[in-house]
Amino acid sequence: VKGWAQRYLNLGFVAGFLIVLLTYIVVTQQFAITSPDAAPTMTPHRKHAISAPGAGETGTPEAREEEKAETKPVDASSATCIFERIDGCNNERKRAVVLPDAEPEWKKPEDTVATEEEPPKRDDAAAEPLDNGKVVCTTEGPFSDTCDVFGDVRTNGTAHTVTLVPATQTESREWKIQPYTRRGMSGISEVTVTQLDSTSADSPAPACTVTHRVPGIVFALGGLTGNYFHDFSDALVPLFVASRRYGGEVQLLASNIQPWWLGKYEAVVRRLSKYDVVDLDHDDQIRCFPSVTVGLRMHKEFDIVPELVPGGAPLSMVDFTAFLRETYTLPRAAPISLMKDISPPEDQEKRKPRLMLLHRGHYRKFVNVPEIVKAAEKAGFEVSIADPRFDVKVEELARSVNSFDVLLGVHGAGLTNAVFMPTGAVVIQVVPYGNLEHMAKVDFGDPVADMGLRYLEYSITAEESTLLEMLGPDHPVIKDPESVHRSGWDKVAEYYLGKQDVRVDVERFAPTLALAIEHLRQK
């Protein structure tokens, strides 16, 4: 009896082992079939394929209608959802819009250095004739890294990969690109750009589940966006440069997507692309494109260098501001003209140029606004004080700014509204005390001039700064600004940007106002 039991016990162990082995083989095969990186024989699940409407997607019309019904946009930040993802807009991720003139205390010194991008290094080692596909990466310059991929290009959003499938044998290569305009920004995931070796069985191309007939642009939000200046400098201007040449026939794929940001600038984004923005981080499709640009390139702070614009059609900040006027249907393309020979003297007295005074509600604000208003009125202006609300819509703000001939403000993000001024208008930047002229020129002086506006700069003295009464004349912040700069950006930001307000000497400021009037007379 004991021997009989031992034999059957051994048979039981053998049978159990065979069952476990069989289960392992079945499960392994199942995962091999459903893996996103499976062989090209994978059959796509069209029921779950989400494609940008009209962007050249595959699948029957019935399937596409079913997909659209399943992914109906959900309201985000009181704005229309204009991005595409499996579960619609995620309202839990929306954020309040930051004040247009809010500026981060931790803005890095390299963000304000006047550096023009040198001819960037282009990695053409992987380049092949266009019909075979090629990858051209630009990885040098003061700000950004980008890759342009041409040919049979496939994106896998959740894996953060962009893959080129060459038509002929090529060497397998790989690049890591952070698709935000400032390299090294925390919180931004890298995208892996890969050129496959087409003869290698170890790296098969992922099969397409959605096919687009238009190019794609992969970019990242987050970073410094949310600050009004960086919304334009880091995102809107570079996105305009990258996509304008396509006339709307381009698919945008955004990493680290911000629903509130897309809602705030919906009018601009929709004019740059006819298709809903794809939420790259939650996109489990294998999308196929004829070409994909990975990353946005920033030429200069809040500016465009025409020679660096891709596509052979130079763009400038004049083109960008004209684009914004069209987008928001702004009525004025030119400021008031004060030329004496175009109207009778009695009409000249009635027609006054309008000046918008940007009144910040926190640090770097004017503390003698009534005196400044009287001085501007004495110079011949009709003055309005602007303190943009927390929830102001860009369309409303743009229309308001466009109705003025002169924009006056202390250095800060509010001066970004210069983009809505009519060409030939005047922008006066009041530069706080502390040797900040270089930063002021880089952030606003050069960009404003490149917009076709007249730029004037007024640098305050120590006597016009509230730091003098706060710290006294012998404090290094007052006595030796250069020593503060040498101590590091943190101290510069703490005192000159974060603790300083401005009391303008209106008599000293009067010639600047007179010069603004003179510019309008010459217009």
Side-chain angles (χ1 to χ4, degrees), residues 117 120 138-141 144-146 181 238 241 295-299 308:
E117 184 153 315
T138 306
T139 56
E140 286 189 355
S144 320
D145 296 333
T146 62
T181 46
V241 171
L296 299 178
R297 177 157 296 278
M298 183 165 65
H299 301 160
L308 297 179

Side-chain angles (χ1 to χ4, degrees), residues 23-304:
T23 301
Y24 172 78
I25 293 173
V26 171
V27 171
T28 301
Q29 290 177 344
Q30 181 66 23
F31 273 102
I33 292 174
T34 59
S35 169
D37 297 319
T41 55
M42 179 181 73
T43 302
H45 276 290
R46 287 179 178 164
K47 181 177 180 181
H48 298 292
I50 305 172
S51 58
E57 65 268 26
T58 58
T60 65
E62 294 79 5
R64 292 198 294 270
E65 289 302 320
E66 183 179 0
E67 294 159 9
K68 293 175 184 176
E70 291 180 354
T71 58
K72 183 178 179 181
V74 181
D75 178 65
S77 286
S78 302
T80 305
C81 174
I82 60 169
F83 65 90
E84 173 189 306
R85 55 178 295 171
I86 293 176
D87 56 347
C89 292
N90 185 350
N91 283 321
E92 294 180 357
R93 298 176 61 192
K94 62 184 180 179
R95 292 170 46 191
V97 177
V98 177
L99 271 171
D101 63 349
E103 193 162 22
E105 296 292 340
W106 41 269
K107 187 177 180 184
K108 299 181 180 179
E110 59 265 29
D111 294 344
T112 59
V113 174
T115 51
E116 292 192 17
E117 184 153 315
E118 299 175 356
K121 180 180 179 181
R122 294 168 63 84
D123 184 353
D124 290 300
E128 296 290 340
L130 186 58
D131 55 349
N132 292 334
K134 67 177 180 179
V135 179
V136 180
C137 293
T138 306
T139 56
E140 286 189 355
F143 299 112
S144 320
D145 296 333
T146 62
C147 278
D148 291 297
V149 190
F150 305 92
D152 181 358
V153 191
R154 310 185 186 188
T155 66
N156 184 336
T158 53
H160 285 83
T161 61
V162 174
T163 303
L164 171 65
V165 183
T168 59
Q169 182 176 357
T170 54
E171 177 187 358
S172 179
R173 298 196 63 189
E174 184 176 287
W175 299 260
K176 297 285 187 180
I177 298 294
Q178 193 180 48
Y180 189 72
T181 46
R182 298 178 193 269
R183 66 170 63 88
M185 187 63 62
S186 61
I188 307 296
S189 299
E190 288 185 330
V191 173
T192 302
V193 178
T194 303
Q195 175 182 274
L196 294 180
D197 177 356
S198 60
T199 64
S200 174
D202 297 331
S203 56
C208 303
T209 60
V210 180
T211 299
H212 297 266
R213 296 186 297 269
V214 299
I217 296 177
V218 174
F219 67 102
L221 293 172
L224 300 179
T225 56
N227 168 275
Y228 194 54
F229 171 78
H230 290 287
D231 285 347
F232 282 83
S233 182
D234 295 20
L236 293 176
V237 172
L239 189 59
F240 170 80
V241 171
S243 60
R244 184 59 172 164
R245 55 180 162 156
Y246 299 119
E249 293 295 335
V250 61
Q251 176 65 64
L252 304 179
L253 303 95
S255 176
N256 196 24
I257 206 162
Q258 310 289 321
W260 67 268
W261 192 95
L262 291 172
K264 181 175 181 179
Y265 300 106
E266 176 181 3
V268 175
V269 175
R270 284 205 179 278
R271 282 208 68 207
L272 293 176
S273 173
K274 298 177 181 178
Y275 312 110
D276 291 344
V277 180
V278 172
D279 184 348
L280 188 72
D281 301 332
H282 296 84
D283 183 44
D284 61 355
Q285 304 304 307
I286 305 299
R287 298 178 182 269
C288 291
F289 294 91
S291 66
V292 171
T293 296
V294 182
L296 299 178
R297 177 157 296 278
M298 183 165 65
H299 301 160
K300 298 167 63 178
E301 292 280 359
F302 191 31
D303 211 342
I304 298 171

